Amino acid sequence: MKKPLLMLVLLVLSLVTIASCKDTSQNNTADELAKSSYVKDHFNKKEVTIEMRDGVKLHTTIYSPKDATKPYPILLKRTPYSCRPYGENEFPSAIGPNEYMMKDGYIVVYQDVRGRWMSEGTYDNMRAYIPNKKTNQEIDESTDTYDSIDWLVKNIDNNNGNVGTWGISYPGFYATYSAIDAHPALKAASPQACIGDFFFDDFHHNGAYLLSYFRATAVFGTPKDQPIDTAWYKTPDLKTEDQYQFFLDAGPLSNLNTYFQYENVDQPGLRKKDLVDDFFWQELIDHPNYDSVWQKKGIIQHLKNIKPSVATMVVGGWFDAEDLYGPLETYKTIEAHNPENYNTMVFGPWSHGDWARTKIKNAVGNYYFGDSISNFYQKNIETPFFEHFLKNDGDHNSGLPEAYVYDTGKKSWKKYETWPPSNTSKKEFYLHADQLLSSNQAPVSKNSFISDIKRPVPYSEDIKTVFTPRKYMTDDQRFAARRPDVLVYETEVLAEDLTLAGDILAKLQVSTTGTDADWIVKVVDVHPAELENNNEDLQDHLKMSNYHLMVRSEVMRGKFRNSFSRPEPFVPSQKTPVNIKLQDVFHTFKKGHKLQVQVQSTWFPLIDLNPQTFVPNIFKAEESDFKTQTHSVYSDSAIEFTILN
């Protein structure tokens, strides 16, 4: 080809390529604009206040399809996190549980719960349920939901009389609440990552205070005396990127009171150290044990009489650092006490709320589980559930299984008609003194370690400050296994797959030179050395080779070992049983892997430091209470697993 002709051809190709790229860019921009304006283009927005039976008015935002030629079900989400954007001319980019449902035809309603944002009334953090109400002044979230649904079905045009509720995290708690004393129009409720009890979810785990949620306290405890459309609270500014060192330097929890003193005073130095303005922080201080306040706020015990007319689908993530107890106990309690009800569970390889996101790549922290797992859930599980009960006949033949669960070891979905599956059995593995994890018992001996109060075991090797922790749930645990204050027990290399499907019970036999101690148990999947990296987002210092995947973990504050309401000290150096329930897992330890158990006494600053001497109230502990101690774990300790046969 002659040179001039060659140049002409290249020029033409370049122009075509540029034009093509320009068209693609314009198309992408048009698609993004169309997506961002979908709600505005297809829904009418209306803001109303709905009066409750006691006269308090709750701000409610209603998105109704512009196509008014047919009736639609109502989807209701009640939230303490606001109905933003406020204003009838302001629209979000998406509404509803997922994009499929947004486009399938629903009236979507959001409501600021009592005392939050633009709603009137007084906010109560996890407001206690009141049984056998006698007057209209006896209100709770059940009555507010009932009154709201009653108004919605009577006042929204083109609704078909069926209502569903959903929500993730705190809104999931309100979705659970909707099923108690439910309105006749409520046909389906999906509590997702739902809080069940603040002594076992979020801010406490088995009596240990989750220091890592410290910054979130202000969101729930800053006073508000009137409706407002902008945030009235501020999270504490730690002025550092190293939360481990910050909390270590801060010392006892009482030294953190100053972060919750909001009122301005002329002479701050004269203010008493123990006076705080944040009512939730004050509640934590006043109620260090599982007393009547926490017991009443818990919702699990009130799920024993759910009307069969309400179908429930409980959703959670196997690696949810915030609310794992809640959804598992919600499902189990409804299932145990309401045998005639349609009640199912869905658990996937997610951290908190990941199933509602649209990312193709599904990973938790450094660990990759696969692509489009959340999309599969949204399209094939969540959408059919609501469609069946709100648009179709709503019988129990929904086409969905009792338990739709993801095996986080095999990385695949499984369906079961019961949870745990019927073909499971319990098996104990003992913690041998030679660090072997074995199904065979050995002569009783012990492993001991020094728990240095000045050098607690970190829960993560990352140097960071977080609002709430999430990533650590799948973190590589090699950094902890190599510390002298972490005991490690593991099996030989597995000759065949071992699948755990259900709860785990650590039956420890321990002693301490002190009068209190925390006991943390972690179940770890040790990967083969020859494994190659499969996650391009893996932190630079890590390799999948020999990766120590944390599958489950839990803490027990030792003084609560016999009762969460009546703590008691240890007798120094006396062998003592401590049982720790670890939440359910569905994980296959594959052939060539090893099953490992780690035991430690600090997990900082995920949980606060135990003084290792008995104190009645951890929020009032003094610096002098904190002592380094020696802890021992005896070889007749066992971990009871639920094994899939």
Side-chain angles (χ1 to χ4, degrees):
M1 185 180 291
K2 294 181 179 179
K3 189 173 182 179
L5 181 58
L6 175 61
M7 296 297 292
L8 179 61
V9 171
L10 292 174
L11 177 61
V12 171
L13 288 173
S14 298
L15 292 174
V16 169
T17 301
I18 292 171
S20 175
C21 291
K22 185 175 181 180
D23 288 342
T24 302
S25 177
Q26 289 175 339
N27 289 338
N28 289 341
T29 302
D31 290 343
E32 291 171 1
L33 289 173
K35 189 173 183 179
S36 66
S37 66
Y38 185 90
V39 178
K40 185 175 183 179
D41 294 341
H42 293 83
F43 290 85
N44 294 314
K45 180 181 180 182
K46 186 176 182 180
E47 295 183 330
V48 300
T49 55
I50 299 178
E51 186 170 334
M52 302 294 101
R53 62 189 65 186
D54 64 343
V56 170
K57 296 177 181 178
L58 305 187
H59 178 91
T60 309
T61 301
I62 303 166
Y63 296 93
S64 300
K66 289 184 177 180
D67 179 3
T69 61
K70 55 184 177 180
Y72 301 96
I74 297 171
L75 285 170
L76 171 63
K77 177 180 177 180
R78 306 186 66 244
T79 177
Y81 300 131
S82 94
C83 294
R84 290 180 292 186
Y86 294 108
E88 293 188 343
N89 294 320
E90 301 295 328
F91 289 81
S93 59
I95 57 174
N98 64 61
E99 184 177 347
Y100 299 102
M101 294 180 65
M102 179 177 70
K103 295 180 177 179
D104 280 351
Y106 289 88
I107 298 166
V108 182
V109 180
Y110 295 87
Q111 184 177 78
D112 291 334
V113 298
R114 181 181 292 253
R116 296 291 286 182
W117 295 88
M118 290 295 289
S119 285
E120 298 177 351
T122 302
Y123 175 66
D124 188 350
N125 206 9
M126 283 195 75
R127 189 183 305 274
Y129 170 71
I130 303 174
N132 306 315
K133 303 173 185 67
K134 296 180 174 59
T135 73
N136 285 342
Q137 298 304 309
E138 292 181 292
I139 57 87
D140 54 28
E141 304 303 339
S142 175
T143 61
D144 282 358
T145 306
Y146 189 104
D147 294 349
S148 298
I149 291 176
D150 195 63
W151 189 96
L152 293 171
V153 295
K154 291 177 180 177
N155 290 277
I156 296 180
D157 294 335
N158 296 319
N159 83 80
N160 72 355
N162 293 335
V163 178
T165 55
W166 97 100
I168 297 173
S169 192
Y170 216 142
F173 164 78
Y174 295 112
T176 304
Y177 227 129
S178 71
I180 303 174
D181 300 336
H183 191 282
L186 182 66
K187 304 300 182 185
S190 184
Q192 303 177 9
C194 44
I195 304 169
D197 192 309
F198 263 167
F199 210 72
F200 306 101
D201 277 319
D202 289 302
F203 292 90
H204 297 94
H205 274 215
N206 292 329
Y209 170 65
L210 263 72
L211 187 57
S212 48
Y213 286 76
F214 165 76
R215 298 182 67 211
T217 306
V219 175
F220 305 106
T222 305
K224 178 180 82 73
D225 57 8
Q226 61 184 1
I228 188 171
D229 62 3
T230 55
W232 64 98
Y233 53 80
K234 291 183 179 179
T235 58
D237 181 5
L238 306 187
K239 301 186 186 303
T240 179
E241 294 298 319
D242 187 346
Q243 62 181 6
Y244 180 99
Q245 195 62 47
F246 170 83
F247 286 115
L248 197 61
D249 292 342
L253 292 178
S254 59
N255 291 342
L256 299 175
N257 289 348
T258 55
Y259 286 90
F260 301 111
Q261 296 175 343
Y262 305 137
E263 296 292 334
N264 293 321
V265 293
D266 293 333
Q267 294 179 291
L270 298 180
R271 181 164 186 163
K272 290 185 178 180
K273 176 183 174 183
D274 59 348
L275 293 180
V276 298
D277 301 304
D278 188 291
F279 59 82
F280 184 43
W281 184 251
Q282 188 64 58
E283 193 169 46
L284 292 169
I285 293 172
D286 293 342
H287 304 281
N289 305 329
Y290 193 51
D291 60 15
S292 60
V293 169
W294 298 120
Q295 292 172 24
K296 288 179 181 178
K297 287 176 178 287
I299 198 170
I300 302 299
Q301 65 267 31
H302 300 301
L303 302 179
K304 299 178 181 179
N305 190 26
I306 304 299
K307 295 178 181 178
S309 57
V310 182
T312 49
M313 183 179 76
V314 183
V315 183
W318 290 127
F319 300 102
D320 191 333
E322 298 182 35
D323 300 299
L324 187 59
Y325 169 91
L328 284 168
E329 291 302 314
T330 296
Y331 165 76
K332 290 178 181 180
T333 304
I334 295 176
E335 191 67 17
H337 296 278
N338 306 272
E340 301 302 316
N341 289 31
Y342 180 97
N343 176 51
T344 62
M345 62 173 278
V346 182
F347 269 77
W350 301 304
S351 66
H352 194 63
D354 279 351
W355 52 92
R357 299 183 174 93
T358 57
K359 290 177 62 176
I360 293 176
K361 183 176 180 179
N362 282 194
V364 178
N366 288 296
Y367 204 83
Y368 169 70
F369 291 100
D371 289 344
S372 302
I373 299 172
S374 298
N375 181 69
F376 175 87
Y377 157 76
Q378 294 168 22
K379 182 178 181 180
N380 299 295
I381 303 175
E382 185 175 46
T383 297
F385 168 76
F386 280 111
E387 182 173 336
H388 180 75
F389 288 101
L390 300 183
K391 293 186 176 183
N392 298 334
D393 58 17
D395 61 15
H396 283 202
N397 298 316
S398 67
L400 298 170
E402 173 78 13
Y404 220 140
V405 288
Y406 194 90
D407 184 329
T408 55
K410 288 187 174 179
K411 301 182 180 179
S412 61
W413 286 103
K414 299 293 181 182
K415 301 177 183 179
Y416 294 104
E417 291 310 311
T418 61
W419 184 262
S422 57
N423 57 329
T424 57
S425 59
K426 302 292 187 180
K427 185 174 182 178
E428 291 185 342
F429 285 75
Y430 293 90
L431 310 184
H432 288 204
D434 60 358
Q435 299 191 325
L436 178 67
L437 183 65
S438 172
S439 58
N440 299 318
Q441 287 185 280
V444 177
S445 56
K446 66 180 180 180
N447 291 122
S448 300
F449 63 95
I450 297 172
S451 180
D452 187 344
I453 211 71
K454 298 295 186 181
R455 295 187 67 253
V457 180
Y459 78 93
S460 170
E461 59 183 333
D462 297 341
I463 305 300
K464 62 183 180 181
T465 299
V466 298
F467 181 67
T468 56
R470 294 186 179 182
K471 166 186 166 292
Y472 82 95
M473 291 289 282
T474 62
D475 266 355
D476 188 339
Q477 296 300 306
R478 273 176 284 199
F479 78 94
R482 294 166 180 172
R483 285 183 58 118
D485 49 359
V486 177
L487 301 180
V488 178
Y489 307 88
E490 65 182 26
T491 63
E492 301 292 344
V493 174
L494 297 175
E496 57 185 20
D497 289 355
L498 174 68
T499 301
L500 308 186
D503 62 6
I504 301 169
L505 180 63
K507 303 175 180 179
L508 300 184
Q509 295 288 337
V510 301
S511 64
T512 174
T513 56
T515 50
D516 195 10
D518 288 339
W519 302 97
I520 296 108
V521 173
K522 298 185 290 191
V523 177
V524 177
D525 183 344
V526 179
H527 288 44
E530 61 270 18
L531 201 64
E532 296 182 357
N533 293 346
N534 64 350
N535 182 5
E536 61 185 18
D537 296 327
L538 193 71
Q539 287 175 282
D540 291 341
H541 69 285
L542 294 176
K543 298 290 184 291
M544 288 307 298
S545 173
N546 199 37
Y547 194 94
H548 284 38
L549 171 68
M550 189 167 74
V551 175
R552 184 60 72 239
S553 55
E554 192 54 278
V555 59
M556 170 64 74
R557 179 135 293 174
K559 67 181 180 180
F560 293 115
R561 65 195 179 278
N562 295 324
S563 170
F564 291 113
S565 303
R566 295 179 297 278
E568 56 187 274
F570 284 82
V571 176
S573 302
Q574 179 174 299
K575 186 179 177 183
T576 306
V578 174
N579 290 340
I580 308 172
K581 180 183 176 182
L582 285 74
Q583 302 302 328
D584 295 33
V585 300
F586 185 38
H587 184 87
T588 295
F589 292 75
K590 298 170 74 173
K591 176 182 177 181
H593 292 224
K594 291 189 287 186
L595 169 59
Q596 182 186 95
V597 170
Q598 296 182 9
V599 181
Q600 60 198 64
S601 63
T602 51
W603 210 11
F604 193 75
L606 182 69
I607 61 172
D608 66 315
L609 281 179
N610 189 318
Q612 305 188 135
T613 60
F614 180 85
V615 294
N617 188 334
I618 188 62
F619 291 91
K620 297 181 179 180
E622 300 291 340
E623 189 79 43
S624 58
D625 294 321
F626 291 78
K627 305 288 186 182
T628 291
Q629 305 287 358
T630 298
H631 306 318
S632 299
V633 176
Y634 293 80
S635 58
D636 51 347
S637 299
I639 312 297
E640 181 186 86
F641 294 108
T642 306
I643 306 291
L644 187 67
N645 299 323

